[in-house]
Amino acid sequence: MQNTRIYQNIFNKIQDDIKAGVYKIGSKLPPERDLALQLGVSLTSVREAMIALEVNGIVEVKLGSGVYVINDHQDAANPQTGFNTTVHPLLLPYLQEDAVIRPSKYWKRDC
């Protein structure tokens, strides 16, 4: 059995909703607090999922405006996890062998 983190489950749920047409390209996602309540998860988990969606090119975060759907799929996805496994160049200095990178560890957003 493969263990997944909560934010990965949220990522998959939102991506499935986008593919199903619940959220269309160009539309704004509900606020993070609303998503956390709807899904019964923490705000931190939703924020990590939003970061993963943004890194994978599925949404665009516009500070002060919201999160918008820009794509219904990610490029170069890993078939096992569904995540884009291409490492962003800004993260390369932080990588170490066997290191686990969590999105919230390196991402600071003004809320």
Side-chain angles (χ1 to χ4, degrees):
M1 183 169 145
Q2 180 180 350
N3 291 330
T4 58
R5 296 181 184 263
I6 293 172
Y7 82 89
Q8 290 172 318
N9 293 332
I10 298 166
F11 173 99
N12 291 333
K13 166 74 170 120
I14 293 172
Q15 186 177 34
D16 289 345
D17 286 350
I18 292 168
K19 287 179 182 177
V22 175
Y23 306 116
K24 298 189 183 314
I25 293 176
S27 68
K28 182 177 175 180
L29 292 179
E32 291 172 345
R33 289 184 195 277
D34 292 351
L35 285 171
L37 287 172
Q38 288 173 10
L39 300 172
V41 297
S42 72
L43 191 53
T44 301
S45 295
V46 171
R47 286 183 177 151
E48 289 180 348
M50 290 299 145
I51 293 166
L53 287 162
E54 184 176 28
V55 168
N56 281 280
I58 297 170
V59 300
E60 178 181 17
V61 177
K62 295 181 181 179
L63 294 177
S65 180
V67 179
Y68 294 84
V69 179
I70 59 171
N71 204 343
D72 60 359
H73 66 283
Q74 71 268 11
D75 297 324
N78 178 324
Q80 289 182 322
T81 64
F83 286 97
N84 182 340
T85 55
T86 305
V87 177
H88 192 282
L90 293 176
L91 290 178
L92 289 174
Y94 299 100
L95 291 179
Q96 298 173 357
E97 193 170 324
D98 299 328
V100 174
I101 294 182
R102 291 183 49 105
S104 61
K105 184 174 181 181
Y106 300 104
W107 187 279
K108 302 287 186 220
R109 270 205 279 187
D110 296 327
C111 295

